[in-house]
Amino acid sequence: MWLDKPRNPDAPLAGLKVLELARILAGPFAGQTLADLGADVIKVEAPEGDGTRLWGPPFVERSNGAKEAAYYHGCNRGKRGITADFRNVDDLAVVAGLAGQADVVIENFLPGKLAKFGLDYASLSQANPGLVYCSITGFGQDGPRRNEPGYDFVIQAMSGFMALTGEPEGEPMKHGMSVSDLFCGLYSTIAIQAALAMRQRTGKGQHIDMALYDCSVALLAHQAQSFFTTGENPPRMGNMHAQVSAYGVFPTKDGPVVLAPANDRLFRKLLEVFERHDLLGDERFATNEARIANRAQIDGIIAAETAQWDREALLAACRKAGVPAGPIYEVSEVFEDPQVQARGMTFPMAEGLTGLRSPFSFSDAELALGEPSPRLGQDD
Protein backbone atom coordinates (compact mmCIF):
# COMPACT_ATOMS: atom_id res chain seq x y z
CA MET A 1 0.00 0.00 0.00
CA TRP A 2 3.00 2.29 0.42
CA LEU A 3 4.11 4.11 -2.72
CA ASP A 4 6.71 2.26 -4.77
CA LYS A 5 8.19 5.58 -5.89
CA PRO A 6 8.02 9.00 -4.19
CA ARG A 7 5.54 11.43 -5.69
CA ASN A 8 8.32 13.99 -5.82
CA PRO A 9 11.80 12.45 -5.62
CA ASP A 10 13.32 15.95 -5.26
CA ALA A 11 11.47 16.65 -1.99
CA PRO A 12 13.56 16.60 1.23
CA LEU A 13 11.65 13.71 2.85
CA ALA A 14 10.96 11.70 -0.31
CA GLY A 15 10.59 8.01 0.54
CA LEU A 16 9.74 8.56 4.21
CA LYS A 17 6.69 6.49 5.23
CA VAL A 18 4.34 8.14 7.76
CA LEU A 19 1.25 6.48 9.20
CA GLU A 20 -1.16 9.02 10.68
CA LEU A 21 -3.61 7.79 13.32
CA ALA A 22 -4.68 11.31 14.19
CA ARG A 23 -7.65 13.61 13.78
CA ILE A 24 -8.77 17.21 14.31
CA LEU A 25 -5.74 19.56 14.04
CA ALA A 26 -2.41 19.10 15.86
CA GLY A 27 -1.62 15.58 14.58
CA PRO A 28 -2.98 16.14 11.07
CA PHE A 29 -1.06 19.43 10.81
CA ALA A 30 2.17 17.60 11.63
CA GLY A 31 1.29 14.97 9.02
CA GLN A 32 0.49 17.61 6.40
CA THR A 33 3.81 19.37 7.03
CA LEU A 34 5.69 16.09 6.53
CA ALA A 35 3.64 15.44 3.37
CA ASP A 36 4.57 18.86 1.96
CA LEU A 37 8.19 17.92 2.63
CA GLY A 38 7.74 14.80 0.52
CA ALA A 39 6.79 12.04 2.94
CA ASP A 40 4.28 9.39 1.89
CA VAL A 41 1.57 9.95 4.52
CA ILE A 42 -1.29 7.49 4.87
CA LYS A 43 -4.10 8.86 7.03
CA VAL A 44 -6.21 6.27 8.83
CA GLU A 45 -9.73 7.40 9.70
CA ALA A 46 -12.62 5.73 11.46
CA PRO A 47 -15.40 4.69 9.04
CA GLU A 48 -17.29 7.90 9.85
CA GLY A 49 -14.20 9.98 9.08
CA ASP A 50 -12.19 12.68 10.79
CA GLY A 51 -14.60 14.93 12.69
CA THR A 52 -13.28 18.04 10.95
CA ARG A 53 -14.83 16.85 7.68
CA LEU A 54 -18.05 18.22 9.19
CA TRP A 55 -16.66 21.43 10.74
CA GLY A 56 -18.39 23.81 8.38
CA PRO A 57 -19.58 25.87 6.70
CA PRO A 58 -17.80 26.67 4.53
CA PHE A 59 -17.69 23.38 2.65
CA VAL A 60 -15.65 22.23 -0.33
CA GLU A 61 -17.55 20.24 -2.93
CA ARG A 62 -15.57 17.48 -4.65
CA SER A 63 -15.87 16.45 -8.28
CA ASN A 64 -17.77 13.36 -7.10
CA GLY A 65 -20.29 15.53 -5.24
CA ALA A 66 -18.91 14.86 -1.74
CA LYS A 67 -18.89 17.85 0.60
CA GLU A 68 -16.18 18.35 3.20
CA ALA A 69 -15.43 21.28 5.47
CA ALA A 70 -12.73 23.71 4.38
CA TYR A 71 -11.26 23.19 7.87
CA TYR A 72 -10.48 19.55 7.00
CA HIS A 73 -8.71 20.60 3.81
CA GLY A 74 -6.55 23.05 5.76
CA CYS A 75 -4.63 20.28 7.54
CA ASN A 76 -4.88 17.10 5.45
CA ARG A 77 -3.67 17.84 1.94
CA GLY A 78 -1.02 15.73 0.27
CA LYS A 79 -1.97 12.53 2.13
CA ARG A 80 -3.50 9.27 1.01
CA GLY A 81 -6.20 7.74 3.13
CA ILE A 82 -7.94 4.60 4.28
CA THR A 83 -10.71 3.89 6.77
CA ALA A 84 -10.37 1.28 9.48
CA ASP A 85 -12.45 0.07 12.39
CA PHE A 86 -9.99 -1.01 15.07
CA ARG A 87 -12.63 -3.39 16.44
CA ASN A 88 -12.56 -5.28 13.13
CA VAL A 89 -9.79 -7.92 13.07
CA ASP A 90 -9.11 -7.54 9.36
CA ASP A 91 -8.98 -3.74 9.49
CA LEU A 92 -6.69 -3.86 12.49
CA ALA A 93 -4.35 -6.25 10.68
CA VAL A 94 -4.08 -3.81 7.77
CA VAL A 95 -3.17 -0.91 10.07
CA ALA A 96 -0.66 -3.02 12.01
CA GLY A 97 0.90 -4.12 8.72
CA LEU A 98 1.32 -0.52 7.60
CA ALA A 99 2.85 0.37 10.97
CA GLY A 100 5.30 -2.49 10.59
CA GLN A 101 6.69 -0.87 7.45
CA ALA A 102 6.40 2.77 8.53
CA ASP A 103 9.23 5.07 9.51
CA VAL A 104 6.90 7.26 11.57
CA VAL A 105 3.56 6.85 13.31
CA ILE A 106 1.63 9.93 14.49
CA GLU A 107 -1.27 9.38 16.89
CA ASN A 108 -3.36 11.55 19.16
CA PHE A 109 -5.43 9.15 21.24
CA LEU A 110 -5.64 9.44 25.03
CA PRO A 111 -2.67 7.82 26.78
CA GLY A 112 -2.85 4.02 26.75
CA LYS A 113 -5.94 3.81 24.54
CA LEU A 114 -4.14 2.23 21.56
CA ALA A 115 -2.49 -0.47 23.70
CA LYS A 116 -5.64 -2.61 23.70
CA PHE A 117 -5.42 -2.74 19.90
CA GLY A 118 -1.69 -3.47 19.83
CA LEU A 119 -1.03 -0.12 18.14
CA ASP A 120 0.95 1.46 20.98
CA TYR A 121 4.69 2.09 20.70
CA ALA A 122 5.68 -0.85 22.93
CA SER A 123 3.76 -3.28 20.73
CA LEU A 124 4.70 -1.88 17.32
CA SER A 125 8.38 -1.33 18.08
CA GLN A 126 8.88 -5.05 18.77
CA ALA A 127 8.40 -5.78 15.07
CA ASN A 128 9.72 -2.41 13.89
CA PRO A 129 12.54 -1.29 16.20
CA GLY A 130 13.39 1.67 13.95
CA LEU A 131 9.92 3.17 14.34
CA VAL A 132 9.64 6.81 15.38
CA TYR A 133 6.30 6.98 17.19
CA CYS A 134 4.89 10.43 18.01
CA SER A 135 2.05 10.65 20.52
CA ILE A 136 0.21 13.97 20.68
CA THR A 137 -2.13 14.56 23.61
CA GLY A 138 -3.50 17.47 25.54
CA PHE A 139 -1.38 17.00 28.65
CA GLY A 140 1.19 14.28 27.95
CA GLN A 141 1.68 10.63 28.84
CA ASP A 142 2.15 11.25 32.57
CA GLY A 143 1.16 13.72 35.28
CA PRO A 144 -2.15 14.28 37.07
CA ARG A 145 -3.93 15.60 33.96
CA ARG A 146 -2.75 12.86 31.55
CA ASN A 147 -6.28 11.47 31.03
CA GLU A 148 -7.95 14.83 30.44
CA PRO A 149 -8.88 15.65 26.83
CA GLY A 150 -6.93 18.52 25.33
CA TYR A 151 -8.71 21.17 23.29
CA ASP A 152 -7.03 24.25 21.91
CA PHE A 153 -9.36 26.74 23.63
CA VAL A 154 -8.82 25.11 27.02
CA ILE A 155 -5.06 24.97 26.52
CA GLN A 156 -4.94 28.64 25.51
CA ALA A 157 -6.76 29.47 28.72
CA MET A 158 -4.51 27.36 30.94
CA SER A 159 -1.19 28.27 29.31
CA GLY A 160 -1.36 32.00 30.04
CA PHE A 161 -2.05 32.93 26.40
CA MET A 162 -5.48 34.35 27.14
CA ALA A 163 -4.31 36.26 30.20
CA LEU A 164 -1.75 37.99 27.96
CA THR A 165 -4.12 38.66 25.06
CA GLY A 166 -6.69 41.45 24.85
CA GLU A 167 -7.02 45.06 25.92
CA PRO A 168 -5.61 45.97 29.35
CA GLU A 169 -9.04 46.71 30.82
CA GLY A 170 -10.89 44.11 28.75
CA GLU A 171 -11.57 40.41 29.05
CA PRO A 172 -8.87 37.82 28.36
CA MET A 173 -9.05 36.74 24.71
CA LYS A 174 -8.04 33.66 22.78
CA HIS A 175 -5.97 34.00 19.64
CA GLY A 176 -7.84 34.15 16.33
CA MET A 177 -6.11 30.94 15.25
CA SER A 178 -5.88 27.59 17.05
CA VAL A 179 -2.30 28.38 18.01
CA SER A 180 -1.95 25.69 20.68
CA ASP A 181 -2.88 22.98 18.19
CA LEU A 182 -0.84 24.44 15.35
CA PHE A 183 2.33 25.02 17.35
CA CYS A 184 2.10 21.54 18.84
CA GLY A 185 1.90 20.20 15.29
CA LEU A 186 5.01 22.16 14.34
CA TYR A 187 6.93 21.19 17.49
CA SER A 188 5.96 17.56 16.75
CA THR A 189 7.36 17.87 13.24
CA ILE A 190 10.66 19.14 14.69
CA ALA A 191 10.76 16.30 17.21
CA ILE A 192 10.03 13.67 14.54
CA GLN A 193 12.85 14.90 12.34
CA ALA A 194 15.22 15.04 15.32
CA ALA A 195 14.35 11.42 16.19
CA LEU A 196 14.91 10.39 12.56
CA ALA A 197 18.32 12.07 12.61
CA MET A 198 19.13 10.22 15.84
CA ARG A 199 18.02 6.94 14.24
CA GLN A 200 20.67 7.50 11.59
CA ARG A 201 23.28 7.34 14.38
CA THR A 202 21.79 4.63 16.58
CA GLY A 203 19.65 2.52 14.26
CA LYS A 204 16.82 2.73 16.78
CA GLY A 205 13.52 4.53 16.81
CA GLN A 206 11.85 5.97 19.89
CA HIS A 207 8.63 7.22 21.43
CA ILE A 208 8.02 10.98 21.33
CA ASP A 209 5.63 12.36 23.96
CA MET A 210 4.16 15.69 22.77
CA ALA A 211 1.59 17.66 24.78
CA LEU A 212 -0.38 20.69 23.67
CA TYR A 213 0.00 22.10 27.18
CA ASP A 214 3.79 21.71 27.18
CA CYS A 215 4.10 23.35 23.77
CA SER A 216 1.95 26.31 24.73
CA VAL A 217 3.75 26.83 28.04
CA ALA A 218 7.05 26.72 26.14
CA LEU A 219 5.79 29.50 23.88
CA LEU A 220 5.57 31.88 26.82
CA ALA A 221 9.27 32.44 26.09
CA HIS A 222 10.28 36.00 27.11
CA GLN A 223 7.02 36.51 29.01
CA ALA A 224 7.92 33.57 31.24
CA GLN A 225 11.40 35.00 31.70
CA SER A 226 9.87 38.32 32.73
CA PHE A 227 7.85 36.51 35.38
CA PHE A 228 10.91 34.57 36.57
CA THR A 229 12.78 37.87 36.86
CA THR A 230 10.15 39.99 38.61
CA GLY A 231 7.82 37.47 40.21
CA GLU A 232 4.92 39.49 38.76
CA ASN A 233 2.39 38.54 36.10
CA PRO A 234 3.12 40.26 32.77
CA PRO A 235 0.28 42.67 31.99
CA ARG A 236 -2.22 42.37 29.17
CA MET A 237 -1.15 45.04 26.69
CA GLY A 238 -3.61 44.94 23.79
CA ASN A 239 -1.67 46.00 20.70
CA MET A 240 1.15 47.56 22.71
CA HIS A 241 4.42 45.86 23.59
CA ALA A 242 5.30 45.38 27.25
CA GLN A 243 9.01 46.01 26.67
CA VAL A 244 9.10 48.41 23.69
CA SER A 245 7.64 51.88 23.01
CA ALA A 246 6.41 53.48 20.78
CA TYR A 247 5.32 50.21 19.28
CA GLY A 248 1.70 49.55 18.39
CA VAL A 249 -1.31 50.40 16.26
CA PHE A 250 -1.74 54.05 15.25
CA PRO A 251 -4.43 55.86 13.24
CA THR A 252 -4.16 57.42 9.80
CA LYS A 253 -6.74 59.26 7.72
CA ASP A 254 -7.86 56.04 6.04
CA GLY A 255 -7.11 53.19 8.38
CA PRO A 256 -4.76 52.06 11.15
CA VAL A 257 -1.15 51.00 10.71
CA VAL A 258 1.34 49.11 12.82
CA LEU A 259 4.57 50.90 13.72
CA ALA A 260 7.40 48.85 15.22
CA PRO A 261 10.48 51.01 15.91
CA ALA A 262 12.06 48.42 18.17
CA ASN A 263 15.20 50.31 19.21
CA ASP A 264 16.44 53.84 19.81
CA ARG A 265 17.89 54.21 16.31
CA LEU A 266 14.62 53.25 14.64
CA PHE A 267 12.66 55.51 16.96
CA ARG A 268 14.83 58.47 15.96
CA LYS A 269 14.21 57.62 12.31
CA LEU A 270 10.47 57.66 12.99
CA LEU A 271 10.75 61.12 14.52
CA GLU A 272 12.59 62.21 11.39
CA VAL A 273 9.73 60.89 9.22
CA PHE A 274 7.44 63.21 11.18
CA GLU A 275 10.04 66.01 11.14
CA ARG A 276 9.82 66.13 14.92
CA HIS A 277 13.45 67.14 15.38
CA ASP A 278 12.41 68.97 18.53
CA LEU A 279 11.95 65.61 20.25
CA LEU A 280 15.32 64.12 19.31
CA GLY A 281 16.98 65.54 22.39
CA ASP A 282 14.03 65.09 24.76
CA GLU A 283 15.25 62.96 27.68
CA ARG A 284 11.74 61.58 28.24
CA PHE A 285 12.01 59.74 24.93
CA ALA A 286 15.76 59.34 24.43
CA THR A 287 15.88 55.64 25.37
CA ASN A 288 13.45 52.77 25.26
CA GLU A 289 13.42 52.60 29.06
CA ALA A 290 12.51 56.28 29.20
CA ARG A 291 9.78 55.83 26.57
CA ILE A 292 8.29 52.96 28.58
CA ALA A 293 8.15 55.26 31.62
CA ASN A 294 6.44 57.93 29.48
CA ARG A 295 4.42 55.61 27.26
CA ALA A 296 1.16 57.59 27.35
CA GLN A 297 2.86 60.82 26.31
CA ILE A 298 4.88 59.39 23.43
CA ASP A 299 2.05 57.21 22.15
CA GLY A 300 -0.19 60.29 22.12
CA ILE A 301 2.39 62.32 20.22
CA ILE A 302 2.92 59.59 17.62
CA ALA A 303 -0.84 59.06 17.20
CA ALA A 304 -1.35 62.80 16.60
CA GLU A 305 1.32 62.70 13.91
CA THR A 306 0.10 59.58 12.12
CA ALA A 307 -3.48 60.87 12.08
CA GLN A 308 -2.37 63.60 9.65
CA TRP A 309 -1.19 61.09 7.02
CA ASP A 310 -2.84 58.95 4.39
CA ARG A 311 -2.04 55.34 5.17
CA GLU A 312 -0.08 54.49 2.03
CA ALA A 313 1.91 57.72 2.17
CA LEU A 314 2.95 57.01 5.76
CA LEU A 315 3.91 53.42 4.96
CA ALA A 316 5.94 54.58 1.97
CA ALA A 317 7.76 57.18 4.10
CA CYS A 318 8.52 54.55 6.75
CA ARG A 319 9.84 52.12 4.15
CA LYS A 320 12.12 54.81 2.73
CA ALA A 321 13.42 55.63 6.23
CA GLY A 322 13.83 51.97 7.17
CA VAL A 323 11.22 52.08 9.93
CA PRO A 324 9.32 48.78 10.33
CA ALA A 325 5.67 49.46 9.54
CA GLY A 326 2.78 47.70 7.90
CA PRO A 327 -0.95 47.75 7.15
CA ILE A 328 -3.48 45.61 9.01
CA TYR A 329 -4.79 43.24 6.37
CA GLU A 330 -8.00 41.30 6.10
CA VAL A 331 -7.34 37.68 5.05
CA SER A 332 -8.40 38.51 1.48
CA GLU A 333 -5.82 41.30 1.36
CA VAL A 334 -3.05 38.97 2.50
CA PHE A 335 -3.32 36.97 -0.71
CA GLU A 336 -3.39 40.13 -2.82
CA ASP A 337 -0.06 41.31 -1.40
CA PRO A 338 2.61 41.17 -4.12
CA GLN A 339 5.14 39.71 -1.69
CA VAL A 340 2.87 36.79 -0.83
CA GLN A 341 2.27 36.26 -4.55
CA ALA A 342 5.97 36.50 -5.39
CA ARG A 343 6.80 33.88 -2.75
CA GLY A 344 4.22 31.47 -4.18
CA MET A 345 2.42 30.94 -0.89
CA THR A 346 -0.64 29.54 -2.66
CA PHE A 347 -0.71 26.78 -5.26
CA PRO A 348 -3.32 25.00 -7.38
CA MET A 349 -4.37 21.48 -6.44
CA ALA A 350 -6.37 18.82 -8.22
CA GLU A 351 -10.16 19.17 -8.43
CA GLY A 352 -9.84 22.95 -8.77
CA LEU A 353 -8.80 23.48 -5.15
CA THR A 354 -6.27 26.00 -3.86
CA GLY A 355 -3.66 25.15 -1.22
CA LEU A 356 -1.61 27.22 1.22
CA ARG A 357 2.06 26.25 0.91
CA SER A 358 4.20 25.29 3.88
CA PRO A 359 6.75 28.11 4.27
CA PHE A 360 9.89 26.18 3.30
CA SER A 361 12.17 27.24 0.44
CA PHE A 362 15.23 25.11 -0.29
CA SER A 363 18.14 25.81 -2.61
CA ASP A 364 18.31 22.19 -3.80
CA ALA A 365 14.92 20.64 -3.09
CA GLU A 366 11.26 21.05 -3.95
CA LEU A 367 8.14 20.54 -1.90
CA ALA A 368 5.65 17.82 -2.80
CA LEU A 369 2.55 19.88 -3.56
CA GLY A 370 -0.56 19.56 -5.68
CA GLU A 371 -2.50 16.71 -4.10
CA PRO A 372 -5.66 17.58 -2.15
CA SER A 373 -6.84 15.92 1.06
CA PRO A 374 -7.89 12.28 0.73
CA ARG A 375 -11.48 11.37 0.08
CA LEU A 376 -13.07 9.32 2.83
CA GLY A 377 -11.97 5.71 2.27
CA GLN A 378 -9.58 6.61 -0.54
CA ASP A 379 -6.74 4.08 -0.76
CA ASP A 380 -4.76 5.21 -3.82
Side-chain angles (χ1 to χ4, degrees):
M1 192 174 292
W2 295 105
L3 290 173
D4 294 329
K5 296 181 180 179
R7 282 178 170 165
N8 185 346
D10 296 323
L13 298 182
L16 188 76
K17 299 180 178 69
V18 178
L19 184 65
E20 182 187 300
L21 311 178
R23 61 272 194 227
I24 311 302
L25 185 52
F29 195 65
Q32 177 176 274
T33 304
L34 295 172
D36 278 359
L37 289 166
D40 180 15
V41 181
I42 295 179
K43 180 181 179 69
V44 180
E45 298 178 73
E48 64 272 18
D50 188 316
T52 61
R53 288 180 181 271
L54 304 176
W55 282 18
F59 291 97
V60 171
E61 186 166 344
R62 298 272 199 163
S63 57
N64 66 354
K67 288 174 62 178
E68 298 148 339
Y71 192 110
Y72 167 77
H73 286 274
C75 52
N76 286 293
R77 68 162 179 271
K79 307 172 187 178
R80 297 182 296 135
I82 62 171
T83 56
D85 184 344
F86 292 171
R87 296 165 297 184
N88 180 291
V89 174
D90 293 335
D91 285 4
L92 190 57
V94 169
V95 176
L98 289 169
Q101 302 172 54
D103 297 292
V104 177
V105 167
I106 301 171
E107 62 91 7
N108 65 351
F109 287 77
L110 284 172
K113 188 169 184 180
L114 288 180
K116 63 182 178 180
F117 301 111
L119 296 177
D120 57 311
Y121 174 69
S123 300
L124 295 178
S125 62
Q126 292 181 20
N128 186 359
L131 180 66
V132 171
Y133 187 104
C134 181
S135 294
I136 298 175
T137 58
F139 295 95
Q141 299 295 307
D142 53 24
R145 296 187 183 274
R146 65 186 294 269
N147 291 318
E148 295 183 22
Y151 281 78
D152 179 271
F153 197 1
V154 175
I155 300 298
Q156 287 199 44
M158 294 179 63
S159 66
F161 284 5
M162 289 183 64
L164 292 167
T165 305
E167 292 299 324
E169 304 304 323
E171 293 293 320
M173 296 290 292
K174 74 177 185 66
H175 194 279
M177 296 293 296
S178 298
V179 290
S180 292
D181 272 326
L182 293 169
F183 276 110
C184 187
L186 293 176
Y187 270 127
S188 297
T189 305
I190 295 168
I192 287 166
Q193 293 183 90
L196 289 170
M198 188 172 178
R199 187 178 72 173
Q200 288 289 100
R201 303 196 309 272
T202 66
K204 297 180 180 179
Q206 60 184 295
H207 186 202
I208 302 169
D209 174 7
M210 298 298 301
L212 269 70
Y213 198 27
D214 293 353
C215 293
S216 293
V217 171
L219 285 170
L220 289 175
H222 61 278
Q223 295 284 32
Q225 203 60 50
S226 293
F227 168 71
F228 298 153
T229 302
T230 67
E232 298 178 357
N233 286 316
R236 194 157 52 248
M237 300 293 294
N239 287 316
M240 295 185 291
H241 195 295
Q243 285 82 34
V244 183
S245 182
Y247 188 109
V249 176
F250 296 92
T252 70
K253 291 179 180 178
D254 52 347
V257 296
V258 166
L259 299 180
N263 56 47
D264 296 341
R265 178 182 61 83
L266 291 173
F267 177 73
R268 289 193 295 270
K269 284 182 174 291
L270 181 62
L271 292 182
E272 290 170 0
V273 167
F274 298 137
E275 298 183 352
R276 291 301 305 268
H277 304 103
D278 58 304
L279 297 177
L280 289 173
D282 194 319
E283 292 186 0
R284 295 175 300 166
F285 313 129
T287 66
N288 183 68
E289 185 176 2
R291 291 191 295 277
I292 291 290
N294 296 282
R295 184 192 298 274
Q297 295 95 316
I298 192 56
D299 283 356
I301 290 170
I302 299 301
E305 293 291 338
T306 61
Q308 301 176 48
W309 290 68
D310 293 328
R311 187 180 75 164
E312 292 307 316
L314 176 57
L315 293 174
C318 286
R319 282 194 296 271
K320 184 176 180 180
V323 176
I328 300 175
Y329 281 157
E330 297 285 353
V331 173
S332 59
E333 294 175 293
V334 172
F335 298 109
E336 295 170 356
D337 189 285
Q339 183 67 22
V340 172
Q341 295 176 353
R343 297 289 289 176
M345 285 302 298
T346 64
F347 63 93
M349 295 191 293
E351 301 193 69
L353 302 177
T354 297
L356 180 62
R357 178 176 67 82
S358 285
F360 309 114
S361 295
F362 299 94
S363 66
D364 197 31
E366 298 291 335
L367 297 180
L369 303 174
E371 295 295 325
S373 304
R375 298 184 299 274
L376 183 60
Q378 178 179 338
D379 61 0
D380 54 356

